[in-house]
Amino acid sequence: NKFIVIGAGILGASTAYHLAKLGASVTVIDRKDQGQATDAAAGIICPWLSQRRNKAWYTLAKNGAAYYESLIEALEADGEKDTGYRKVGAISLHTETAKLEAMEERATNRRMDAPEIGEVYRLNEDDTNQLFPPLDEAYASVYVSGAARVNGRAVRDALINGAKKHGATFIEDSASLLNQGTNIEGVKVGEQVIHADRVIVTAGAWASDLLSPIGIDLQVKGQKAQIAHLQLEGVERAHMPVVMPPTNQYILTFDDGEVVVGATYEDGKEGDLNVTAGGLHEILHKALQVAPGLKSATYKEARVGFRPVTPNFMPIIGEVPNMTGLFLANGLGSSGLTVGPYLGGQLAKLALGQQVEIDLDLYRVDLALT
Ligand code: FAD
């Protein structure tokens, strides 16, 4: 059987890697759109403190975080050592004791079925500040040792390289779908026709454009996100924890002192790649309020990406109804670096007709079809 994967952000790259490792013949086609979510993403792997109550979402995020360790080992065994992945822990900040207690309780309860969360404990203001000196001294925190950060670009490239090592072919171009009635025959890339038994669409915010010519109306949108990269000089501690302020913002630091702060959540801005004054102001204002020590950091760059979102912000995965041979997954929203590698593994199994671990009924594709 021949497989084609369209779209190689983190989700498609993982799907291709797992398919190739399972012995399938795979061609991956990706046109590297500007605004690829994976390319712009921050890199926080810490789903356990989220207040989002949706169990179906949490299951994927929890499994995704747990899966990283074995994935990184597998990639390293394939010679792919540069993934930017490190378990640096996270500090979730607050100034109110009651809020900190509630956070600690939530994390401790979740540890019962998520041991990968590691140690959970409260830190006073001084200890919190020691872990991330640019912080305002007013914040205490809950520390979670199992949280990690990852470089989205690096892990995506490691997955693609790993897939190639296991025999996958990579084409950088734009693909369109080729069907005969309800049967998927393959894809068209320029003038070239590539036949396949199964086509897997992991095209992120662009999936609707790809599917509409064959009469499928997928309700996926690209939620614009702007994010800024700063450079902190003289960083003594290379492995600073991920910082999660009480807002919807975050601060994470890579080993060389590169600090990522973000991000905006902008609906109705599909395809708009502009870095705006308002966007940068929002991100920097919120970050500097929490961490005034970042005022002296130098500004490196801003990135723009489109989070792929479904109408109810739930991931979807499955075979497209009323079609044969067409599979997709999408809707990873703001947690796709966490969920993507795991869900890609599940999608590979599904397309191969193997047993999956997740309850597919919770993530049905038709929930995002009209
Ligand atoms: P994408 O990465 O967007 O990839 C889709 C790919 O499909 C693109 O390369 C595109 O060119 C290709 N494509 C589309 N159509 C075609 C076609 N017809 N032919 C060929 N190729 C095609 N998640 C976390 O877990 N933690 C974080 O800290 C985090 N931070 C984020 C910060 C920002 C600023 C953003 C934008 C996102 C963040 N996310 C984070 C979310 C995460 O990045 C996304 O959910 C995830 O990357 C989505 O991956 P994807 O593979 O579905 O889509």
Side-chain angles (χ1 to χ4, degrees):
N1 275 2
K2 284 195 156 179
F3 295 78
I4 291 174
V5 177
I6 305 177
I10 189 128
L11 184 57
S14 170
T15 307
Y17 177 68
H18 286 91
L19 276 171
K21 272 194 85 162
L22 290 164
S25 159
V26 192
T27 301
V28 192
I29 305 158
D30 184 83
R31 65 178 180 215
K32 300 196 174 169
D33 277 288
Q34 274 194 56
Q36 184 199 73
T38 304
D39 213 55
I44 300 167
I45 312 293
C46 182
W48 317 284
L49 296 172
S50 169
Q51 297 202 53
R52 190 169 173 183
R53 289 182 178 275
N54 188 302
K55 279 199 182 136
W57 171 80
Y58 179 70
T59 302
L60 286 189
K62 170 180 113 61
N63 291 359
Y67 184 58
Y68 254 92
E69 203 135 345
S70 59
L71 177 78
I72 297 296
E73 270 176 31
L75 286 170
E76 285 182 354
D78 286 327
E80 296 300 325
K81 297 189 162 52
D82 178 20
T83 56
Y85 177 82
R86 189 182 287 278
K87 255 190 196 180
V88 288
I91 45 176
S92 185
L93 310 178
H94 221 286
T95 51
E96 290 170 37
T97 308
K99 292 277 166 60
L100 289 161
E101 279 170 1
M103 253 188 303
E104 185 184 19
E105 194 184 325
R106 197 162 55 242
T108 309
N109 286 340
R110 282 183 163 168
R111 191 169 58 176
M112 287 180 214
D113 65 349
E116 57 278 1
I117 199 168
E119 288 176 75
V120 175
Y121 48 84
R122 294 253 298 278
L123 293 174
N124 66 20
E125 289 79 356
D126 282 351
D127 293 339
T128 300
N129 197 270
Q130 272 212 336
L131 283 181
F132 193 74
L135 284 178
D136 184 301
E137 282 161 12
Y139 290 106
S141 64
V142 172
Y143 175 77
V144 171
S145 71
R149 52 108 170 112
V150 67
N151 179 332
R153 294 180 175 182
V155 75
R156 172 203 63 199
D157 292 346
L159 286 164
I160 293 172
N161 289 335
K164 285 186 193 161
K165 285 179 182 169
H166 289 282
T169 306
F170 186 92
I171 300 174
E172 184 179 336
D173 212 328
S174 182
S176 57
L177 295 167
L178 203 65
N179 66 312
Q180 187 74 259
T182 59
N183 203 35
I184 279 294
E185 308 261 279
V187 301
K188 256 187 112 174
V189 180
E191 290 307 305
Q192 191 192 357
V193 169
I194 308 173
H195 287 284
D197 305 286
R198 295 190 163 186
V199 175
I200 301 169
V201 173
T202 46
W206 298 270
S208 308
D209 297 342
L210 179 60
L211 291 162
S212 67
I214 65 162
I216 296 166
D217 193 5
L218 184 73
Q219 299 297 300
V220 166
K221 290 205 164 8
Q223 182 188 59
K224 181 179 173 184
Q226 301 184 55
I227 188 164
H229 288 234
L230 312 174
Q231 183 66 44
L232 203 54
E233 301 302 335
V235 174
E236 286 162 30
R237 175 189 291 275
H239 310 320
M240 288 176 163
V242 172
V243 177
M244 303 168 82
T247 58
N248 60 356
Q249 302 284 299
Y250 42 75
I251 304 170
L252 68 156
T253 314
F254 285 89
D255 289 353
D256 57 357
E258 182 158 346
V259 181
V260 184
V261 296
T264 62
Y265 295 79
E266 302 171 63
D267 294 314
K269 293 275 175 64
E270 273 178 274
D272 174 0
L273 287 158
N274 292 329
V275 176
T276 63
L280 276 186
H281 172 79
E282 180 188 334
I283 301 164
L284 293 176
H285 177 70
K286 286 181 178 170
L288 295 179
Q289 257 185 343
V290 174
L294 289 177
K295 278 181 186 159
S296 58
T298 41
Y299 172 78
K300 277 185 87 173
E301 63 165 321
R303 295 182 188 172
V304 174
F306 300 101
R307 304 181 186 95
V309 293
T310 58
N312 61 359
F313 292 89
M314 275 298 293
I316 50 172
I317 176 173
E319 190 164 18
V320 176
N322 308 318
M323 292 293 297
T324 308
L326 183 61
F327 291 77
L328 69 79
N330 208 308
L332 301 192
S334 57
S335 41
L337 287 193
T338 309
V339 171
Y342 173 73
L343 199 64
Q346 296 291 298
L347 184 55
K349 286 190 176 164
L350 186 67
L352 281 163
Q354 297 184 6
Q355 185 79 29
V356 295
E357 286 172 14
I358 52 177
D359 179 357
L360 293 170
D361 233 19
L362 300 174
Y363 315 100
R364 290 199 325 264
V365 172
D366 61 76
L367 296 174
L369 292 177
T370 48

